[in-house]
Amino acid sequence: MRGLQLSLDKGQKLRFERAFEVLESLSSKSNSDASVIVADDISVNNEDSILKGHGTAEMNDRLVATLCGVVERVNKLVYVRPLRARYKPEIGDIIIGRVIEVAPKRWKLEINFSQDAVLMLSSMNLPDGIQRRRTAVDELNMRSIFEENDVICAEVRGFQHDGCLHLQARSQKYGKLKRGQLLTIPPYLVKKRKQHFHHLDQYGIDLILGCNGFVWVGEHVEVRDDMIEDLSDKSEQQKVKSWNTMGDEEVQEAYTLDTRQNICRSANAIRVLSTLGFTITVEIITEIVELSKSMDLDVHEMLGAEFYVIVAEKEAERRSLPTKRR
Amino acid sequence: MDLTFQLFMYVLAAMVGLSLGEQTFIKGGIDQDLRTDGRKRLTYRPIFVETGIIPQASGSARVKLGATDVIASVKAELGRPNPSYPDKGKVSIHVDCSPTAEPSFEGRGGEELSTELCSALERCLLGGKSGAGAGIDLSSLCIVRGKVCWDLYIDGLVVSSDGNVLDALGAAVKAALSNTAIPKVQVSANAPSDEQPEVDVSDEEFLQFDTSGVPVIVGRHYIADATTEEESQMSSAVSVSINRQGRICGLTKRGGAGLHPTVILDMISAAKHVSEQLMNKLDSEIAAAEACDEMES
């Protein structure tokens, strides 16, 4: 609950603390033997040959934790997985990044990681959709695809031998994100799921939960799948959609008040959840947006003290319900 | 008059840039009176005040306006008054931008912003050279005419900046001043004064003032209390300092774009309206903070 600065009155404080007590009591039932804090002993059977992984250190013949976290054991490897860690990329992760530099044949993106990620020109679909070799002209026109400060959604392709992260954005669902707002939340609040792209139909908005802690909330954009398209239609569509001019006009169109309200409500829901430190999933976000709508709260009041308390209570309630499926 | 394309990058150079889509979103939001966090154009973020955080100072306060965090402290010392104003005390203001707020503030990077905030605060608090129309009544700082007066040293520290630092500083200075305890001074009849300090709690000698920064036109509308992203899109800003009686104590225009006079008058009236609410909110927060403080000590 870092940085939580709310002026709660007596009643609200009580309810808030009670909700958090409930949450703490629920969480400590599982995993309490595996959680360690710094300098705790990790119980190992000294006869087995154990590999000492991250977050452990040997002191005086004992294995001691150097991080606060949960002890994980994989075959012979013992390591401590920290609870609040910097984002750790894995292959196949969906992430959102911001272009900070246009370099020869690649874009450098900032992704809330210790290094900047690289998106190669060859890992990106060309505007005309044809699969061909990238020429020097393509390289010169890189800025027409992505510029500095653009927000891009991509997938982690792999690591280079020097630790540099490579991304790819070949599918139609990846690419530049135009209409909406970008939020930054602590990366450990976004768990790896099957789906990170969510289309909230009832609100008409797109929600992309990047694994690196960048979350995009924006107006819904229709995604055309190249494979399904008829080849005969393609030439027509190319005439209709030319990247440069159409792109700007699309961006400048006004939002309807409804869509904007929904976007702001979802964004505020995410802000509240991230300040309270609750894991973020689409279900929770939709619940909170519904809650705020049913309470007839002004969008701005979602960031007020009362709503925080209500969200905390609701979460405590939700977790104390018997979990039917995980 | 479309000022949308005259972007003024207001000093915060290391700030993350915004893509065209995000900029459109922000501007459209301001046009439709629904900003990115749901606020209306003239709504302020929640303010959080703590007083008495620096025990060595005569008075201190910390104000959090959303993610903007500033600390102000007041130190009172005895000194000689200025010969041209023998019955007025002296106030000196200094603002320091800490590198924790922005990496670009390290070393001399924050100096430009510091001096700008300094001069804006001085203009609001001290008024003209003669002290007329000032937020602080300097004649109440005088002890012995021509010989001894109180020197107030007001220091501000920007711990974290997320837009609208000037307002936060103004609120912090106000809170710090209301938290200031200046000792009573007894002057012995003969030669230079003898002091018998008795701590006088809650010094109220100043006119209650208030600064409302009203950043201008992102598009055709103006907003109050901008976040860093909104500030990056603004073309100019006007800060109005208003006291409890609704009079203007100081006025500062920042930014490179020119403004039509009617726009400025509009903004002044908007500022008056906003400042009333802000003043009340601040007063209640300061009172709550002081009550908290007393309970703890």
Side-chain angles (χ1 to χ4, degrees), chain A residues 74-306:
Chain A
V74 178
N75 296 340
K76 290 207 199 310
L77 175 66
V78 176
Y79 67 98
V80 180
R81 177 174 55 85
L83 297 169
R84 284 186 193 169
R86 239 191 195 291
Y87 168 56
K88 192 158 176 230
E90 282 169 30
I91 298 185
D93 271 358
I94 310 255
I95 58 176
I96 300 182
R98 199 186 278 280
V99 177
I100 48 177
E101 194 192 328
V102 180
K105 286 216 197 60
R106 64 182 65 106
W107 290 277
K108 282 238 160 72
L109 279 78
E110 189 229 328
I111 58 166
N112 208 10
F113 182 47
S114 45
Q115 285 176 316
D116 294 327
V118 163
L119 177 62
M120 305 292 296
L121 177 57
S122 45
S123 318
M124 183 62 218
N125 279 340
L126 288 171
D128 51 10
I130 305 175
Q131 310 277 10
R132 57 177 168 78
R133 199 158 164 167
R134 274 48 171 175
T135 61
V137 179
D138 288 322
E139 207 178 316
L140 290 173
N141 289 340
M142 276 175 79
R143 266 222 173 70
S144 62
I145 307 178
F146 296 141
E147 264 201 315
E148 274 89 352
N149 291 328
D150 275 347
V151 179
I152 298 181
C153 177
E155 190 187 7
V156 175
R157 197 184 85 191
F159 290 89
Q160 289 293 90
H161 44 83
D162 56 3
C164 188
L165 192 62
H166 273 235
L167 306 174
Q168 61 106 337
R170 274 197 180 278
S171 156
Q172 276 299 93
K173 56 184 181 174
Y174 302 132
K176 183 148 68 167
L177 299 171
K178 290 187 217 157
R179 293 171 62 78
Q181 57 173 312
L182 184 73
L183 302 164
T184 308
I185 59 174
Y188 60 91
L189 293 179
V190 182
K191 302 284 181 228
K192 309 239 193 304
R193 290 270 134 80
K194 290 203 187 75
Q195 269 272 56
H196 285 270
F197 291 87
H198 305 281
H199 168 42
L200 301 178
D201 239 334
Q202 66 270 46
Y203 306 133
I205 64 177
D206 265 345
L207 180 66
I208 306 181
L209 299 170
C211 300
N212 58 334
F214 284 173
V215 173
W216 175 263
V217 188
E219 205 185 27
H220 179 59
V221 176
E222 277 305 323
V223 172
R224 285 170 20 244
D225 199 347
D226 268 335
M227 300 299 212
I228 302 181
E229 256 172 43
D230 222 0
L231 282 170
S232 55
D233 286 338
K234 207 159 189 169
S235 54
E236 263 193 59
Q237 275 162 5
Q238 277 172 24
K239 282 182 225 151
V240 167
K241 178 175 176 165
S242 74
W243 269 75
N244 281 343
T245 51
M246 191 65 173
D248 279 346
E249 284 164 29
E250 266 175 29
V251 170
Q252 301 286 3
E253 241 177 62
Y255 295 73
T256 59
L257 192 58
D258 252 345
T259 322
R260 189 177 283 282
Q261 279 213 348
N262 288 329
I263 294 180
C264 291
R265 264 189 213 274
S266 318
N268 276 352
I270 297 177
R271 287 186 184 109
V272 170
L273 286 172
S274 87
T275 329
L276 289 172
F278 296 148
T279 314
I280 304 218
T281 61
V282 200
E283 293 88 26
I284 298 189
I285 296 176
T286 33
E287 255 182 54
I288 296 196
V289 175
E290 286 303 317
L291 180 65
S292 76
K293 281 193 168 171
S294 66
M295 287 173 57
D296 239 341
L297 276 181
D298 215 6
V299 184
H300 174 49
E301 287 171 24
M302 286 173 73
L303 295 177
E306 179 62 30

Side-chain angles (χ1 to χ4, degrees), chain A residues 5 98 149 178 255 260, chain B residues 19 21-22 25 32 48 64:
Chain A
Q5 210 49 265
R98 199 186 278 280
N149 291 328
K178 290 187 217 157
Y255 295 73
R260 189 177 283 282
Chain B
S19 70
E22 290 169 291
F25 187 76
Q32 291 182 318
F48 189 75
K64 292 197 188 134

